[in-house]
Coordinates of all heavy atoms in Angstrom, one line a residue:
Chain A
R18 N 37.4 -69.9 135.8 CA 37.2 -71.4 136.2 C 36.1 -71.5 137.0 O 35.2 -72.4 136.8 CB 38.5 -71.9 136.7 CG 39.7 -72.0 135.7 CD 40.7 -73.1 136.3 NE 41.3 -72.6 137.6 CZ 42.2 -71.8 137.7 NH1 42.9 -71.3 136.6 NH2 42.7 -71.5 138.9
S19 N 36.0 -70.7 138.0 CA 34.9 -70.8 139.0 C 33.6 -70.6 138.4 O 32.6 -71.3 138.7 CB 35.1 -69.8 140.1 OG 36.5 -69.9 140.7
G20 N 33.5 -69.7 137.6 CA 32.3 -69.3 136.9 C 31.7 -70.5 136.1 O 30.6 -71.0 136.1
L21 N 32.7 -71.0 135.3 CA 32.3 -72.2 134.4 C 31.8 -73.4 135.3 O 30.9 -74.0 135.0 CB 33.5 -72.6 133.5 CG 33.7 -71.8 132.3 CD1 34.8 -72.1 131.5 CD2 32.4 -72.1 131.4
R22 N 32.6 -73.6 136.4 CA 32.3 -74.7 137.2 C 30.8 -74.6 137.8 O 30.1 -75.5 137.8 CB 33.2 -74.8 138.4 CG 33.0 -75.9 139.3 CD 33.9 -76.0 140.5 NE 35.3 -76.5 140.3 CZ 35.4 -77.8 140.5 NH1 34.5 -78.7 140.7 NH2 36.6 -78.4 140.2
L23 N 30.5 -73.3 138.3 CA 29.2 -73.1 138.8 C 28.2 -73.3 137.8 O 27.1 -74.0 138.0 CB 29.2 -71.6 139.2 CG 29.6 -71.3 140.6 CD1 29.5 -69.7 140.9 CD2 28.7 -72.2 141.6
I24 N 28.3 -72.8 136.5 CA 27.4 -72.9 135.5 C 27.2 -74.4 135.1 O 26.1 -74.9 135.0 CB 27.8 -72.3 134.2 CG1 27.7 -70.6 134.6 CG2 27.0 -72.7 133.1 CD1 28.2 -69.9 133.4
L25 N 28.4 -75.2 135.0 CA 28.2 -76.5 134.5 C 27.7 -77.5 135.6 O 26.9 -78.3 135.3 CB 29.5 -76.9 133.7 CG 30.1 -76.0 132.7 CD1 31.4 -76.6 132.2 CD2 28.9 -76.2 131.6
D26 N 28.3 -77.3 136.7 CA 27.8 -78.1 137.8 C 26.4 -78.0 138.3 O 25.9 -79.0 138.9 CB 28.8 -78.0 139.1 CG 30.0 -78.9 139.1 OD1 29.9 -79.8 138.2 OD2 31.0 -78.5 139.7
A27 N 25.8 -76.9 137.8 CA 24.4 -76.6 138.2 C 23.5 -77.7 137.4 O 22.4 -77.9 137.6 CB 24.0 -75.3 137.9
E28 N 24.2 -78.2 136.2 CA 23.3 -79.1 135.4 C 23.6 -80.6 136.0 O 24.7 -81.0 136.1 CB 23.8 -79.1 133.9 CG 23.7 -77.7 133.3 CD 22.2 -77.2 133.2 OE1 21.4 -78.1 132.9 OE2 22.0 -76.0 133.7
P29 N 22.5 -81.3 136.1 CA 22.6 -82.8 136.7 C 23.4 -83.6 135.6 O 24.0 -84.5 136.2 CB 21.3 -83.1 136.8 CG 20.4 -82.3 135.8 CD 21.1 -81.0 135.8
D30 N 23.4 -83.4 134.5 CA 24.0 -84.3 133.5 C 25.5 -83.9 133.1 O 26.1 -84.4 132.3 CB 23.1 -84.3 132.1 CG 22.9 -83.0 131.5 OD1 23.0 -82.0 132.2 OD2 22.8 -83.0 130.2
L31 N 26.0 -82.7 133.8 CA 27.3 -82.4 133.5 C 28.0 -82.5 134.9 O 27.4 -82.1 136.0 CB 27.3 -80.9 133.0 CG 26.6 -80.6 131.7 CD1 26.8 -79.3 131.3 CD2 26.9 -81.7 130.6
E32 N 29.4 -82.7 134.9 CA 30.1 -82.7 136.1 C 31.5 -82.1 135.8 O 32.3 -82.8 134.9 CB 30.2 -84.2 136.6 CG 31.0 -84.3 137.8 CD 31.3 -85.8 138.2 OE1 30.8 -86.7 137.4 OE2 31.9 -86.1 139.2
V33 N 31.9 -81.1 136.5 CA 33.3 -80.6 136.3 C 34.2 -81.5 137.1 O 34.1 -81.5 138.4 CB 33.5 -79.1 136.7 CG1 34.8 -78.7 136.6 CG2 32.5 -78.3 135.7
V34 N 35.1 -82.2 136.5 CA 36.0 -83.1 137.3 C 37.4 -82.5 137.6 O 38.1 -83.1 138.3 CB 36.1 -84.4 136.5 CG1 34.9 -85.1 136.4 CG2 36.7 -84.2 135.2
G35 N 37.7 -81.3 137.1 CA 39.0 -80.7 137.3 C 39.1 -79.3 136.7 O 38.3 -79.0 135.9
E36 N 40.2 -78.6 137.2 CA 40.4 -77.4 136.6 C 42.0 -77.3 136.5 O 42.7 -77.7 137.2 CB 40.0 -76.2 137.6 CG 38.6 -76.1 138.0 CD 38.1 -75.0 138.9 OE1 39.2 -74.2 139.1 OE2 37.2 -75.0 139.5
A37 N 42.2 -76.6 135.2 CA 43.8 -76.4 134.9 C 43.9 -74.9 134.7 O 43.1 -74.2 134.2 CB 44.1 -77.2 133.7
G38 N 45.1 -74.5 135.1 CA 45.4 -73.0 135.0 C 46.3 -72.6 133.9 O 46.5 -71.5 133.4
D39 N 46.8 -73.7 133.3 CA 47.7 -73.4 132.0 C 47.5 -74.7 131.1 O 47.0 -75.7 131.5 CB 49.0 -73.1 132.4 CG 49.8 -74.2 133.1 OD1 49.7 -75.4 132.7 OD2 50.4 -73.9 134.2

Side-chain angles (χ1 to χ4, degrees):
Chain A
R18 291 202 301 272
S19 307
L21 276 176
R22 181 186 277 275
L23 272 178
I24 291 174
L25 299 178
D26 269 342
E28 302 297 316
D30 59 330
L31 305 182
E32 178 188 2
V33 175
V34 295
E36 298 181 14
D39 60 47

